[in-house]
Amino acid sequence: MGPSREGPEGAAQAAIHQVNRAMSDKRQLQAEPDTDEAARRLNAVAAEMHFGPETPLALDSGVSLAPFTIAYQTYGTLNAAKSNVVLVCHALTLDQYVASRNPITGKPGGWWPAMVGPGLPLDTDRYFIICPNVIGGCMGTTGPKDIDPKTGKPYGLSFPVITIGDMVRAQAMLLDRLGIADIFCVVGGSMGGMQVLQWAAAYPERVFSAIPLATAARHSAQNIAFHEVGRQAIMADPDWRAGNYLAEGTTPSKGLAVARMAAHITYLSEAALHRKFGRNLQDREKITYGFDADFQIESYLRHQGLTFVDRFDANSYLYITRAMDYFDLAADYGGVLANAFKGTKTRFCVVSFTSDWLFPTSESRQTVHALNAAAANVSFIEIATDKGHDAFLLDEPEMFATLGGFIGSAARRRGLVK
Amino acid sequence: MTAQDGTSAFGYVQNRVDLALIAEMIAPDARVLDVGCGDGQLLALLARTKNVDGRGIELSQEGVNACVARGLSVIQGDADADLHDYPDDAFDYVILSQTIQATRNPREVLTQMKRIGRHVVVSFPNFGNWRVRLQLLWSGRMPVTRTLGHDWYDTPNIHLCTVRDFVSLCDDLGLNIDDAVSVIGNRARRVGRPGSIDNLTAEDAVLLLSRKS
């Protein structure tokens, strides 16, 4: 823990205040019924799984994390054979609310409304969909903003560093606890796609089909560089307090907002920015010869930064970006990516997007090459779009058509549909 | 290749004879790679009739989509760029149906196919066919025929060859010709090793090749 401006007692008081606030948030989160009619049709259920001191999470760093909680959402109904499970892995700043109202932002329909629902590629009338918040996250799963039972204070930077492998190990523990042996389909984009690849490599016998979207088997130098800019922005904010801001009652909003603004640019593309904003001015006729947000793109980015700080914990951002940086699947298998998939029976569908410069098609092709070298069942498609990395979250009819076809044929193989 | 009408991007009407001939050459339960698999007709046929473990490579997004939707494992890519990434002996058969004339480097493509497959199946339109020869001789213009449906300026067929040219390349690359079929209209004739008559009469040729040991 970093230095505290107040005495230890003051810090403890603030910590307790923080716990109470978190608890009341949580109560509200659980008590408030999801009145959304659409959510009822999806059979959306919010749940938490607690793992006590007797079942620690063994982290790649060598540290054991216990106790811990995984917050997750489910949609649809688990069949008797437990063979219709779809695991959705979320991206860096997303959460478990894949298809229902996010209680923090109030955003209805979740972050993947065109993908998950009755009659959609992830058909809630057919599949049982589980979406857990990743370990280290800030939406109910244990992360740095939670209380360390050893100290009674928020973990802050004393939270252990986590990896993509740790996220997936925690998810496997959740499925074990739910009595689910294997997954019909594991799907995710970006960091979610990294988890998909990790699942397929670490638990090949548990994964029938896998859909890594807009992702890579390792984080590139350029992407680590972008993450480092974001982290430094957070750490440069005086309100970050060496990671101890919760105990000290501050919030590094400015740093986190800048981190979000920089990252958001990487999720788009030059063409999409030009199409949406061009050099258009924001609510004014002329430039003002000052540093106001003259341009629409500036105003848009500022808005993105501001809204992000209301829903995301700055330390969580540090930890989760680090997990992505550390991801290098081949390194865990003797430097040869194909070895990660040796003998796999999993059916893969790899998807990339032409204008994605964060996880360009060349990265997906490397995964495909490795899968080919491992004689895996792999399909690959590059979707033509100008929407950049975020395309996987947006309305891309070709993507839905491909994934609908892939999931449908996998379901026939699995005997889930005639 | 479009999924709807069975017409390839190369203006070649994918005829069932060609597919059936190739299917006949494939042993049951084999591992097969179809390079330029279009909408997956051949792979689907092979899966149905020969129980093969099939994979495909296809350039067009709609072709890949059609394949994936029918449950085939197909990656978006092309013969020139993507064969390098497969390991040696990855497949029992590597098939290139009506595509070699559209590749940038047919010799390299064939070399790669030979490396990754124990057997290689190639079908292509024969530029040595008598109609082609006569059209060029009489009209003095680039031939346009049933199997070569494009004008010179918009044809994707940048490396056309005759049956004799192809046989000569196989000899160069150390490829045995294990079987060959000459296709004229809807009729197919098994010819063993193609000769001068086949070079004159065949509209299409289908060859089964293997590495010389």
Side-chain angles (χ1 to χ4, degrees), chain B residues 43-102:
Chain B
L43 282 172
L45 177 71
L46 289 171
R48 202 168 58 240
T49 60
K50 298 281 178 122
N51 190 40
V52 304
D53 182 9
R55 305 293 151 82
I57 300 180
E58 168 59 27
L59 194 56
S60 77
Q61 187 169 298
E62 55 190 345
V64 177
N65 265 350
C67 290
V68 172
R70 48 199 316 176
L72 301 167
S73 294
V74 171
I75 69 164
Q76 196 169 23
D78 71 68
D80 283 296
D82 294 297
L83 294 178
H84 295 83
D85 305 308
Y86 290 89
D88 295 355
D89 295 314
F91 296 95
D92 298 313
Y93 296 87
V94 181
I95 300 168
L96 193 64
S97 167
Q98 298 293 336
T99 300
I100 194 157
Q101 74 281 358

XYZ file of all heavy atoms in Angstrom, chain B residues 43-102:
449
model
N -16.185 -30.047 -51.480
C -15.924 -30.524 -50.113
C -17.161 -31.191 -49.527
O -17.071 -32.230 -48.863
C -15.489 -29.354 -49.221
C -14.030 -28.899 -49.371
C -13.794 -27.621 -48.572
C -13.065 -29.995 -48.929
N -18.325 -30.607 -49.803
C -19.570 -31.185 -49.297
C -19.806 -32.552 -49.940
O -20.207 -33.512 -49.265
C -20.737 -30.241 -49.567
N -19.547 -32.615 -51.250
C -19.703 -33.887 -51.968
C -18.766 -34.955 -51.405
O -19.162 -36.100 -51.166
C -19.415 -33.660 -53.463
C -19.465 -34.885 -54.379
C -20.909 -35.346 -54.553
C -18.859 -34.561 -55.747
N -17.506 -34.552 -51.163
C -16.511 -35.502 -50.639
C -16.846 -35.948 -49.217
O -16.635 -37.105 -48.848
C -15.117 -34.874 -50.677
C -14.506 -34.701 -52.063
C -13.231 -33.878 -51.987
C -14.219 -36.066 -52.703
N -17.365 -35.007 -48.436
C -17.741 -35.353 -47.059
C -18.890 -36.365 -47.084
O -18.919 -37.318 -46.310
C -18.145 -34.096 -46.296
N -19.817 -36.144 -48.019
C -21.016 -36.987 -48.105
C -20.687 -38.374 -48.665
O -21.112 -39.385 -48.124
C -22.049 -36.278 -48.980
C -23.485 -36.733 -48.747
C -24.471 -35.788 -49.427
N -24.255 -35.673 -50.854
C -23.970 -34.524 -51.479
N -23.892 -33.412 -50.802
N -23.779 -34.500 -52.793
N -19.905 -38.399 -49.746
C -19.717 -39.674 -50.451
C -18.446 -40.413 -50.045
O -18.350 -41.610 -50.225
C -19.679 -39.452 -51.976
O -18.587 -38.590 -52.281
C -20.980 -38.830 -52.468
N -17.445 -39.687 -49.517
C -16.165 -40.332 -49.212
C -15.762 -40.198 -47.746
O -14.681 -40.633 -47.357
C -15.051 -39.735 -50.088
C -15.267 -39.936 -51.586
C -14.885 -41.349 -52.024
C -15.149 -41.561 -53.491
N -13.960 -41.948 -54.240
N -16.606 -39.529 -46.979
C -16.322 -39.364 -45.556
C -14.938 -38.766 -45.301
O -14.222 -39.161 -44.382
C -16.459 -40.716 -44.832
C -16.417 -40.554 -43.323
O -16.999 -39.610 -42.798
N -15.712 -41.448 -42.640
N -14.567 -37.785 -46.134
C -13.236 -37.191 -45.968
C -13.244 -36.195 -44.815
O -14.288 -35.694 -44.408
C -12.764 -36.458 -47.243
C -12.773 -37.392 -48.439
C -13.602 -35.223 -47.503
N -12.042 -35.924 -44.294
C -11.836 -34.838 -43.348
C -11.350 -33.669 -44.192
O -10.186 -33.600 -44.555
C -10.783 -35.276 -42.315
C -10.534 -34.209 -41.264
O -11.284 -33.212 -41.240
O -9.595 -34.385 -40.466
N -12.273 -32.779 -44.553
C -11.965 -31.762 -45.560
C -11.714 -30.385 -44.997
O -12.302 -29.988 -44.004
N -10.814 -29.677 -45.657
C -10.528 -28.265 -45.341
C -10.522 -27.490 -46.643
O -10.240 -28.065 -47.698
C -9.151 -28.099 -44.687
C -8.948 -28.932 -43.464
C -9.854 -28.480 -42.321
N -10.174 -29.607 -41.460
C -9.403 -30.073 -40.498
N -8.262 -29.512 -40.261
N -9.787 -31.096 -39.767
N -10.786 -26.184 -46.565
C -10.782 -25.391 -47.785
C -10.091 -24.061 -47.620
O -9.940 -23.549 -46.507
N -9.653 -23.523 -48.754
C -9.158 -22.143 -48.820
C -9.974 -21.458 -49.904
O -10.159 -22.017 -50.991
C -7.667 -22.087 -49.206
C -6.812 -22.826 -48.174
C -7.206 -20.645 -49.344
C -5.317 -22.806 -48.506
N -10.488 -20.281 -49.621
C -11.291 -19.567 -50.606
C -11.044 -18.077 -50.446
O -10.943 -17.563 -49.338
C -12.774 -19.916 -50.418
C -13.765 -19.048 -51.169
C -13.581 -19.056 -52.685
O -13.068 -20.056 -53.233
O -13.924 -18.041 -53.316
N -10.958 -17.393 -51.579
C -10.638 -15.974 -51.567
C -11.838 -15.100 -51.209
O -11.716 -14.138 -50.466
C -10.101 -15.585 -52.956
C -9.401 -14.240 -53.090
C -8.257 -14.136 -52.105
C -8.865 -14.089 -54.511
N -13.014 -15.452 -51.718
C -14.156 -14.546 -51.576
C -14.842 -14.710 -50.228
O -14.990 -15.823 -49.717
C -15.169 -14.787 -52.693
O -15.928 -15.946 -52.432
N -15.268 -13.572 -49.673
C -15.951 -13.586 -48.388
C -17.252 -14.372 -48.481
O -17.585 -15.150 -47.590
C -16.222 -12.131 -47.986
C -16.780 -11.980 -46.596
C -16.787 -10.516 -46.146
O -15.760 -9.874 -46.040
N -17.966 -9.990 -45.902
N -17.990 -14.192 -49.596
C -19.276 -14.887 -49.686
C -19.075 -16.393 -49.853
O -19.872 -17.182 -49.342
C -20.138 -14.311 -50.812
C -19.470 -14.286 -52.160
C -20.274 -13.477 -53.178
O -21.464 -13.187 -52.906
O -19.695 -13.143 -54.226
N -17.997 -16.772 -50.528
C -17.699 -18.199 -50.650
C -17.401 -18.805 -49.280
O -17.925 -19.864 -48.927
N -16.545 -18.122 -48.505
C -16.201 -18.614 -47.167
C -17.459 -18.708 -46.301
O -17.695 -19.699 -45.616
C -15.158 -17.693 -46.483
C -14.870 -18.161 -45.065
C -13.867 -17.665 -47.284
N -18.287 -17.650 -46.376
C -19.528 -17.651 -45.602
C -20.401 -18.851 -45.933
O -20.934 -19.509 -45.045
C -20.320 -16.376 -45.877
C -20.022 -15.321 -44.845
O -19.378 -15.609 -43.840
N -20.466 -14.115 -45.083
N -20.548 -19.104 -47.236
C -21.398 -20.225 -47.665
C -20.840 -21.539 -47.120
O -21.587 -22.406 -46.658
C -21.468 -20.255 -49.190
N -19.514 -21.674 -47.163
C -18.867 -22.905 -46.676
C -19.076 -23.074 -45.169
O -19.453 -24.146 -44.699
C -17.372 -22.871 -46.964
S -16.959 -23.015 -48.700
N -18.782 -21.998 -44.434
C -18.888 -22.069 -42.972
C -20.322 -22.394 -42.576
O -20.568 -23.179 -41.662
C -18.395 -20.748 -42.327
C -18.681 -20.727 -40.836
C -16.896 -20.576 -42.567
N -21.272 -21.796 -43.305
C -22.687 -22.035 -42.995
C -23.066 -23.492 -43.223
O -23.962 -24.007 -42.570
C -23.567 -21.121 -43.835
N -22.384 -24.175 -44.161
C -22.721 -25.599 -44.332
C -21.830 -26.487 -43.475
O -21.820 -27.701 -43.639
C -22.760 -26.036 -45.800
C -21.623 -25.623 -46.623
C -21.755 -25.613 -48.145
N -22.384 -26.692 -48.882
C -22.566 -26.651 -50.202
N -22.179 -25.604 -50.898
N -23.118 -27.649 -50.831
N -21.088 -25.873 -42.568
C -20.352 -26.662 -41.591
C -18.972 -27.088 -42.057
O -18.348 -27.963 -41.457
N -18.491 -26.469 -43.127
C -17.156 -26.820 -43.632
C -16.100 -25.935 -42.974
O -16.381 -24.809 -42.586
C -17.120 -26.632 -45.149
C -18.133 -27.462 -45.931
C -18.228 -26.979 -47.376
C -17.741 -28.949 -45.898
N -14.884 -26.465 -42.834
C -13.786 -25.679 -42.258
C -13.008 -25.025 -43.385
O -12.228 -25.681 -44.072
C -12.863 -26.588 -41.444
O -13.557 -27.081 -40.332
N -13.242 -23.741 -43.544
C -12.662 -23.029 -44.682
C -12.036 -21.728 -44.197
O -12.638 -21.011 -43.392
C -13.753 -22.730 -45.736
C -13.229 -21.805 -46.813
C -14.241 -24.033 -46.351
N -10.840 -21.441 -44.681
C -10.219 -20.172 -44.322
C -10.152 -19.264 -45.535
O -10.049 -19.723 -46.675
C -8.811 -20.347 -43.710
C -7.815 -20.839 -44.757
C -8.846 -21.278 -42.509
C -6.392 -20.655 -44.319
N -10.262 -17.965 -45.259
C -10.153 -16.999 -46.332
C -8.679 -16.819 -46.670
O -7.868 -16.516 -45.805
C -10.771 -15.670 -45.891
C -11.050 -14.740 -47.032
C -11.904 -13.565 -46.601
O -11.935 -13.214 -45.431
N -12.595 -12.960 -47.547
N -8.343 -17.033 -47.935
C -6.954 -16.899 -48.337
C -6.823 -17.257 -49.801
O -7.827 -17.455 -50.486
N -5.587 -17.326 -50.295
C -5.426 -17.727 -51.684
C -4.229 -18.651 -51.867
O -3.365 -18.756 -50.994
C -5.378 -16.522 -52.632
C -4.094 -15.732 -52.504
O -3.040 -16.273 -52.891
O -4.131 -14.596 -52.021
N -4.230 -19.304 -53.026
C -3.247 -20.355 -53.298
C -1.827 -19.805 -53.274
O -0.900 -20.461 -52.801
C -3.545 -20.997 -54.648
N -1.643 -18.588 -53.784
C -0.293 -18.032 -53.863
C 0.287 -17.740 -52.478
O 1.472 -17.928 -52.247
C -0.316 -16.742 -54.690
C -0.414 -17.020 -56.181
O 0.530 -17.619 -56.714
O -1.439 -16.666 -56.785
N -0.562 -17.238 -51.570
C -0.042 -16.731 -50.304
C -0.104 -17.746 -49.162
O 0.735 -17.720 -48.275
C -0.809 -15.469 -49.908
N -1.091 -18.610 -49.161
C -1.403 -19.309 -47.918
C -1.009 -20.776 -47.835
O -1.201 -21.409 -46.800
C -2.887 -19.144 -47.605
C -3.222 -17.687 -47.296
O -2.681 -17.176 -46.303
O -3.961 -17.075 -48.070
N -0.451 -21.320 -48.917
C -0.054 -22.735 -48.848
C 1.230 -22.917 -48.052
O 1.468 -23.977 -47.470
C 0.100 -23.315 -50.258
C -1.202 -23.391 -51.064
C -0.935 -23.931 -52.463
C -2.236 -24.255 -50.361
N 2.043 -21.853 -48.010
C 3.337 -21.945 -47.314
C 3.187 -22.328 -45.844
O 4.095 -22.862 -45.249
C 4.073 -20.602 -47.383
C 4.449 -20.211 -48.768
N 3.566 -19.579 -49.625
C 5.591 -20.375 -49.463
C 4.158 -19.372 -50.790
N 5.388 -19.834 -50.725
N 2.031 -21.982 -45.286
C 1.885 -22.119 -43.839
C 1.484 -23.512 -43.384
O 1.451 -23.784 -42.193
C 0.869 -21.103 -43.346
C 1.255 -19.703 -43.778
O 2.400 -19.322 -43.513
O 0.445 -19.030 -44.425
N 1.176 -24.370 -44.319
C 0.809 -25.730 -43.923
C 2.081 -26.576 -43.781
O 3.022 -26.426 -44.556
C -0.114 -26.367 -44.965
C -1.488 -25.764 -44.986
C -1.769 -24.665 -45.792
C -2.503 -26.272 -44.184
C -3.031 -24.097 -45.803
C -3.768 -25.707 -44.197
C -4.024 -24.620 -45.013
O -5.268 -24.054 -45.017
N 2.085 -27.475 -42.793
C 3.266 -28.329 -42.625
C 3.364 -29.367 -43.753
O 2.390 -29.621 -44.466
C 3.015 -29.011 -41.278
C 1.556 -28.874 -41.008
C 1.062 -27.685 -41.761
N 4.533 -29.974 -43.885
C 4.738 -31.042 -44.871
C 3.745 -32.176 -44.613
O 3.420 -32.477 -43.463
C 6.161 -31.619 -44.746
C 7.228 -30.602 -45.102
O 6.865 -29.479 -45.529
O 8.421 -30.923 -44.946
N 3.292 -32.804 -45.688
C 2.438 -33.999 -45.583
C 1.198 -33.794 -44.711
O 0.744 -34.712 -44.032
C 3.234 -35.177 -45.000
C 4.345 -35.594 -45.947
O 4.064 -35.722 -47.153
O 5.489 -35.772 -45.475
N 0.666 -32.583 -44.712
C -0.496 -32.299 -43.861
C -1.753 -32.998 -44.371
O -2.665 -33.276 -43.606
C -0.736 -30.794 -43.774
N -1.798 -33.282 -45.689
C -3.010 -33.853 -46.285
C -2.682 -35.058 -47.164
O -1.577 -35.186 -47.671
C -3.722 -32.785 -47.138
C -4.211 -31.622 -46.329
C -3.428 -30.478 -46.204
C -5.429 -31.668 -45.670
C -3.864 -29.408 -45.445
C -5.879 -30.607 -44.908
C -5.088 -29.477 -44.794
N -3.714 -35.914 -47.315
C -3.581 -37.004 -48.286
C -3.741 -36.475 -49.711
O -3.059 -36.915 -50.622
C -4.637 -38.081 -48.005
C -4.461 -38.693 -46.625
O -3.304 -39.032 -46.287
O -5.449 -38.808 -45.874
N -4.677 -35.531 -49.857
C -4.924 -34.932 -51.175
C -5.011 -33.412 -51.062
O -5.668 -32.905 -50.165
C -6.253 -35.422 -51.760
C -6.302 -36.908 -52.039
C -6.681 -37.795 -51.037
C -5.983 -37.404 -53.299
C -6.737 -39.159 -51.287
C -6.040 -38.767 -53.553
C -6.415 -39.638 -52.546
O -6.468 -40.980 -52.795
N -4.349 -32.737 -51.989
C -4.561 -31.298 -52.134
C -5.143 -31.068 -53.521
O -4.579 -31.517 -54.529
C -3.238 -30.514 -51.965
C -3.501 -29.018 -52.110
C -2.617 -30.801 -50.608
N -6.296 -30.413 -53.559
C -7.046 -30.262 -54.817
C -7.030 -28.806 -55.262
O -7.260 -27.893 -54.455
C -8.514 -30.707 -54.620
C -8.568 -32.175 -54.187
C -9.328 -30.478 -55.893
C -9.937 -32.615 -53.701
N -6.770 -28.599 -56.536
C -6.831 -27.261 -57.119
C -7.711 -27.376 -58.352
O -7.264 -27.830 -59.409
C -5.414 -26.791 -57.482
C -5.232 -25.323 -57.825
C -5.547 -24.423 -56.641
C -3.805 -25.066 -58.297
N -8.989 -27.001 -58.180
C -9.951 -27.216 -59.252
C -10.200 -25.922 -60.010
O -10.712 -24.962 -59.440
C -11.256 -27.746 -58.626
O -12.293 -27.690 -59.559
N -9.804 -25.904 -61.283
C -10.060 -24.745 -62.157
C -9.526 -23.450 -61.569
O -10.188 -22.410 -61.640
C -11.576 -24.637 -62.422
C -12.168 -25.819 -63.141
C -11.655 -25.952 -64.573
O -11.226 -24.979 -65.182
N -11.677 -27.160 -65.109
N -8.368 -23.498 -60.982
C -7.814 -22.321 -60.316
C -6.373 -22.032 -60.716
O -5.931 -20.886 -60.712
C -7.877 -22.498 -58.775
O -9.242 -22.670 -58.393
C -7.330 -21.306 -58.041
N -5.628 -23.074 -61.127
C -4.181 -22.874 -61.311
C -3.882 -21.794 -62.351
O -2.913 -21.034 -62.209
C -3.462 -24.200 -61.675
C -1.954 -24.010 -61.517
C -3.841 -24.699 -63.077
C -1.172 -25.281 -61.301
N -4.766 -21.675 -63.362
C -4.515 -20.677 -64.410
C -4.710 -19.254 -63.905
O -4.345 -18.301 -64.579
C -5.398 -20.959 -65.633
C -6.871 -20.604 -65.487
C -7.666 -21.640 -64.700
O -7.136 -22.663 -64.273
N -8.947 -21.363 -64.504
N -5.304 -19.112 -62.723
C -5.541 -17.775 -62.166
C -4.541 -17.410 -61.070
O -4.637 -16.341 -60.474
C -6.959 -17.681 -61.622
